[in-house]
Amino acid sequence: MIRIITTYGGLLLTAMGQTLLLALCGLFFACILGLIFGLLSVLKNRACNIISIIFVDAIRGVPMIVLAFYIYFGMPALFNGLMGYNAVTLTALQAGTICLSLNCGAYMAEIIRAGIQSVDKGQMEAARSLGLPYWKAMYRVVLPQAIRTMIPSIINQFIITLKDTSILSVIGFPELVNTAKNVVANSFKIFEVWTLVALMYLVVITVLSRVAKILERRLNRGRE
Amino acid sequence: MAENNVKIHVSHLKKSFGNLEVLKDVSVDVTQGEVVVVLGPSGSGKSTFLRCLNRLETITDGQVIVDGYDITDKKTDINKVRENIGMVFQHFNLFNNLNVMGNMILAPTELKKATKAEATENALKLLKRVGLLDKAEAYPSQLSGGQKQRVAIARALAMNPDILLFDEPTSALDPEMVGEVLQVMKQLASEGMTMVVVTHEIGFAREVASRVIFMEGGYIVEEGTPEEVLDHPKEARTIDFLSKVL
């Protein structure tokens, strides 16, 4: 085990770094997508609601591994077929980021919709009655309250997304699982390597969720 | 009654929720400085009527003119009109994410009515007026119902409105807190604020109202001075209602 760590530890740590990079890129765009589609679903506009429902249902209805193949292999194949050889190429990081942000974005949209709807309607009415336009009322009054109720679900979704990066080993992104496969192929230390990988995920996710808990407590301090 | 004294002009107002017609035909004028108290059984449409006056409810048909602006006209900037009509709600609706001061200065500063310093100074004056100067830093969850409602009134006043609408302001309060809120409202009335008040407080109507409107079934059944409506009601439905609440 020690031999494995000294020989391959650096490689696996670098791979963990790639995992975190991919997760961060995915989460960043997922938050944006989630906010956009979450807001579209609470607007009093049927067309906006339908757009949001279609996005969420389409993404939730497709396994992420299929989405990954679709974006990494399917989309370039379609465009190259239409526009000529190699017209569009995506790196594994780009494809992975798109895939994660779409997938996580759909769930985030649902979390944000539920969070906004959990805020009493009177809050919006009171803000509007003072003359504040809809978006100002949303931004200054409703969203800050919604976010507080959303935080536990958002943290949960972040952890799921971090773990979901492992699925993107199938498109050859050098994250932890993909790298571990190569290490196993080189060293034949199957049990040791996968134990190490499991522990690495466990440590990172445990630390992140503890930090998140502390943050959550900070945010709620002095209120209610 | 000079035309330019009319603050709110409502003619043939109708409001439906789907197939349910809540307001069938309501016409009324409110002049400057008047305190109009709207009474009626629950489901009579009085809250809906009030919420039509600042278009919190979309208006199905008829005309509502507030401060000279036709708010039934889609082109009217409703936010501008709302700046001049404060509203006080049954459930207070203080912004839970902000403290009392934050509640008071949000709209004036966001809408560029005042700088933060001016808004804060004005807010302190208003809090003093409603007797809550020491609560400026408190969050809504730390206040009693009566205190919340007084802050809500002060928050509405912070926009310096011409008209105040009250939607059952004391209905969600414990009995011992009703008095402190009514006291603030009486003070406002005596200072000449134009007020439309939906309430079940007959005593308040008798003491403060310049006019009492009795609504039932989406119509105004009877209106007049408090003496006329409360002591000498003419309509059978008014008599019936009053016999139950008095």
Side-chain angles (χ1 to χ4, degrees), chain A residues 3 28 35 60 67 77 98 100 114 127 133 153 158 161 185 192 213 217:
Chain A
R3 279 269 306 283
F28 176 73
L35 195 58
R60 279 204 303 206
L67 190 64
I98 295 172
L100 272 185
S153 315
F158 279 11
T161 301
E192 290 84 345
K213 270 270 176 289
R217 225 171 295 147

Side-chain angles (χ1 to χ4, degrees), chain B residues 4 37 76 137 178 223 231 245:
Chain B
N4 60 355
V37 170
T76 305
E137 301 304 318
V178 171
E223 65 177 302
D231 299 332
V245 297

Side-chain angles (χ1 to χ4, degrees), chain B residues 4 13 17 25 86 112 184 246:
Chain B
N4 60 355
L13 171 62
F17 293 101
D25 186 0
K112 310 272 184 274
V184 172
L246 281 178

Side-chain angles (χ1 to χ4, degrees), chain A residues 122-123 125 128 136 140, chain B residues 51 82 93-94 97 110:
Chain A
Q123 296 285 312
E125 285 185 351
R128 297 304 307 277
K136 272 200 171 131
R140 294 298 306 271
Chain B
R51 291 163 57 85
R82 281 176 178 157
N93 298 349
L94 293 183
N97 56 319
E110 281 287 330

Side-chain angles (χ1 to χ4, degrees), chain A residues 71-223:
Chain A
I71 291 167
Y72 190 57
F73 299 116
M75 297 304 267
L78 171 70
F79 284 114
N80 295 346
L82 291 174
M83 296 151 65
Y85 185 65
N86 270 1
V88 177
T89 51
L90 281 176
T91 66
L93 178 61
Q94 289 165 343
T97 300
I98 295 172
C99 186
L100 272 185
S101 31
L102 286 175
N103 191 65
C104 179
Y107 291 98
M108 289 284 286
E110 282 295 280
I111 293 170
I112 288 168
R113 178 190 60 74
I116 291 172
Q117 284 174 347
S118 77
V119 177
D120 179 39
K121 261 198 285 182
Q123 296 285 312
M124 176 58 93
E125 285 185 351
R128 297 304 307 277
S129 79
L130 289 165
L132 290 170
Y134 179 86
W135 290 110
K136 272 200 171 131
M138 179 58 86
Y139 177 68
R140 294 298 306 271
V141 175
V142 178
L143 272 184
Q145 295 182 56
I147 284 170
R148 276 175 56 204
T149 64
M150 291 186 300
I151 283 174
S153 315
I154 290 179
I155 292 169
N156 197 30
Q157 189 55 46
F158 279 11
I159 290 170
I160 291 171
T161 301
L162 181 60
K163 294 203 278 189
D164 278 353
T165 55
S166 60
I167 293 171
L168 296 168
S169 61
V170 299
I171 58 170
F173 185 73
E175 48 69 66
L176 192 51
V177 167
N178 198 15
T179 307
K181 274 193 209 162
N182 295 335
V183 171
V184 168
N186 276 323
S187 65
F188 300 110
K189 301 285 185 193
I190 305 169
F191 175 75
E192 290 84 345
V193 172
W194 288 115
T195 304
L196 197 56
V197 167
L199 285 175
M200 287 173 78
Y201 274 116
L202 188 65
V203 167
V204 168
I205 287 169
T206 309
V207 168
L208 282 181
S209 51
R210 291 284 155 247
V211 170
K213 270 270 176 289
I214 294 168
L215 260 174
E216 191 187 333
R217 225 171 295 147
R218 281 258 170 91
L219 274 169
N220 281 335
R221 192 177 292 166
R223 311 271 175 83

Side-chain angles (χ1 to χ4, degrees), chain B residues 13 15 17 22-23 45-53 57:
Chain B
L13 171 62
K15 168 68 188 175
F17 293 101
V22 177
L23 297 178
K46 54 196 193 307
S47 277
T48 305
F49 162 70
L50 194 74
R51 291 163 57 85
C52 284
L53 298 184
E57 301 294 349

Side-chain angles (χ1 to χ4, degrees), chain A residues 48-68:
Chain A
C48 292
N49 302 160
I50 289 171
I51 291 172
S52 175
I53 290 168
I54 290 174
F55 171 73
V56 171
D57 283 357
I59 298 296
R60 279 204 303 206
V62 177
M64 203 170 92
I65 195 163
V66 175
L67 190 64

